[in-house]
Amino acid sequence: ERDLGFRFDVQPEQFLTAFGVAGSGEATGVARSLRAFWDNLAPIQIDWRKVVNSTYDRRDLKPNLWDQLVLVGFDQMRFMDADTASAAGDARNWSVRGGYLFPLGLDFDVLYSSGDRRTFTLLNERRVRDKEWPSFDVRWRTVPIPPAVDGLFRDITVTGGWSTRETKVSTTTGQDQGSEQTVRSLGLVFVLMNGFNLTYDVDNTAVERLDATGLSQSTRTSHSVRLSGFLPPPGFLSFVRNDLRLSFEYSNNGNSDCRALGGSGFGDIDPTFRDDCTTHTDQTTQNAALAIDTDFTGYSLGVQLQWVGRASGVGRQQSSNQFNFNIFGRFFFRASEGETQFTR
């Protein structure tokens, strides 16, 4: 087996300095504008890797020096003297990652990667090619707050991402396959002036697979909302001295799968063929929970109300609802042994 790879990191600021470009505080004219843009580039990372291997079942082989050092190509690794390898593999992967730092705390990261893997056995040859593009992430840590809601929000943060991966599998036995997966996400965090935090997250994953038997599609979508903070205890709870911790969560998760029989394994998909995809799974699950707790001397105590709803959109379209009421607590005690104290 031979495993060869390298990683190349580029630090933009040091890169220009190495070529004699003055720093941002010293540059003037065009060089100053170039520095202002270039210094906001995130480090660029390039990775490349190649792995080749082969396996022989015979024990009386006499590999030469080049074979022992694995300094031969993949085709030569499949054969040694008059013997054929029982298995051989060749994998190549490379990726490049970078980004840019915009004003107001906005970060943008982008990634491109591809891979090509070949596997050879006495019965079959298999090749897998995959590519991840587009793939990016966005983080905005300091979102400007409009004057109309300036008294409501203290801070707003936005995160998001998009990634698409395509995979193609080809074999000598005709078991060709193709798939495409797209993942999208968005997150919002609101810090209110009254101390409460409000978060919202949405994730969506869509997968499409095509082979000689047909087309299959699956979609996973989830939404979640969370509100948390502290409230002063109401007057009728005179025994409560500390603030109440309040937490409310709601989530909605949907799963959908469909299947269309018949296909060619590769190539463009006829829109009419995609429309014939028959849904066999359409499940929705909802969760809502409200929890209130507070601290007492040596322990904390709280209650939780929870609801779980499930519904199916296929077949008999059954649904169910489940309600839970929980009382929970946490107890604290201090133990000491010599001069060392422990808190539980």
Side-chain angles (χ1 to χ4, degrees):
E1 177 178 317
R2 181 179 73 240
D3 189 343
L4 177 64
F6 74 84
R7 176 172 174 176
F8 187 56
D9 292 324
V10 179
Q11 301 292 335
E13 182 177 356
Q14 300 176 8
F15 184 81
L16 283 185
T17 303
F19 283 89
V21 179
S24 57
E26 303 173 357
T28 59
V30 178
R32 184 179 183 88
S33 300
L34 177 61
R35 268 292 188 181
F37 169 80
W38 192 267
D39 289 350
N40 285 329
L41 287 172
I44 301 173
Q45 184 181 100
I46 301 175
D47 286 292
W48 180 86
R49 186 178 182 186
K50 178 180 174 63
V51 180
V52 291
N53 59 77
S54 60
T55 303
Y56 291 85
D57 296 332
R58 292 176 55 184
R59 298 183 179 179
D60 56 351
L61 289 175
K62 297 181 179 180
N64 57 37
L65 178 62
W66 299 107
D67 293 327
Q68 296 180 30
L69 296 178
V70 200
L71 295 178
V72 295
F74 176 67
D75 293 334
Q76 288 75 23
M77 293 185 64
R78 294 170 55 181
F79 305 98
M80 187 177 300
D81 297 331
D83 196 8
T84 302
S86 59
D90 179 8
R92 306 179 185 184
N93 298 277
W94 80 280
S95 64
V96 56
R97 182 189 300 272
Y100 194 78
L101 308 177
F102 291 92
L104 300 177
L106 177 60
D107 300 344
F108 180 82
D109 295 330
V110 63
L111 168 70
Y112 175 88
S113 67
S114 67
D116 191 349
R117 301 181 298 277
R118 291 189 296 167
T119 304
F120 166 83
T121 65
L122 297 177
L123 301 177
N124 183 26
E125 289 188 39
R126 177 184 175 93
R127 184 176 185 180
V128 180
R129 290 171 292 176
D130 61 76
K131 179 182 68 174
E132 185 175 354
W133 178 259
S135 178
F136 62 85
D137 293 295
V138 178
R139 294 177 300 275
W140 198 354
R141 299 183 178 87
T142 310
V143 179
I145 300 177
V149 293
D150 185 56
L152 180 62
F153 299 109
R154 179 182 303 168
D155 191 18
I156 300 176
T157 304
V158 178
T159 58
W162 183 300
S163 176
T164 299
R165 176 176 289 273
E166 298 180 0
T167 304
K168 292 184 178 181
V169 181
S170 58
T171 66
T172 55
T173 57
Q175 298 175 334
D176 298 345
Q177 301 175 8
S179 66
E180 180 180 285
Q181 175 179 282
T182 301
V183 180
R184 295 171 286 257
S185 63
L186 174 65
L188 303 174
V189 179
F190 302 93
V191 179
L192 282 67
M193 297 298 292
N194 59 7
F196 274 76
N197 292 338
L198 176 64
T199 62
Y200 169 75
D201 295 286
V202 56
D203 295 281
N204 175 265
T205 301
V207 181
E208 185 174 80
R209 299 182 180 90
L210 184 67
D211 54 32
T213 62
L215 169 74
S216 62
Q217 295 177 328
S218 63
T219 303
R220 307 286 184 268
T221 304
S222 64
H223 301 264
S224 64
V225 179
R226 176 182 172 85
L227 177 67
S228 61
F230 292 87
L231 289 176
F236 62 89
L237 297 178
S238 57
F239 59 93
V240 178
R241 304 298 183 184
N242 299 315
D243 289 344
L244 301 177
R245 280 187 294 267
L246 175 67
S247 174
F248 173 78
E249 298 181 27
Y250 172 79
S251 64
N252 186 308
N253 301 290
N255 302 326
S256 177
D257 299 277
C258 70
R259 179 73 173 166
L261 298 179
S264 58
F266 279 123
D268 296 332
I269 301 175
D270 189 341
T272 58
F273 181 62
R274 183 182 280 109
D275 294 339
D276 291 337
C277 198
T278 303
T279 303
H280 59 85
T281 301
D282 188 5
Q283 183 76 30
T284 301
T285 303
Q286 300 180 79
N287 291 269
L290 174 64
I292 302 175
D293 68 295
T294 188
D295 294 327
F296 296 91
T297 303
Y299 66 96
S300 65
L301 188 65
V303 296
Q304 182 190 51
L305 300 174
Q306 185 181 26
W307 166 72
V308 180
R310 300 180 178 89
S312 175
V314 298
R316 300 175 60 183
Q317 299 185 357
Q318 295 180 333
S319 62
S320 65
N321 292 282
Q322 178 180 344
F323 298 90
N324 298 319
F325 175 73
N326 304 309
I327 301 177
F328 62 91
R330 292 181 294 269
F331 298 89
F332 310 96
F333 64 92
R334 183 179 298 275
S336 62
E337 181 178 351
E339 297 180 356
T340 305
Q341 293 186 342
F342 304 90
T343 302
R344 298 289 189 266

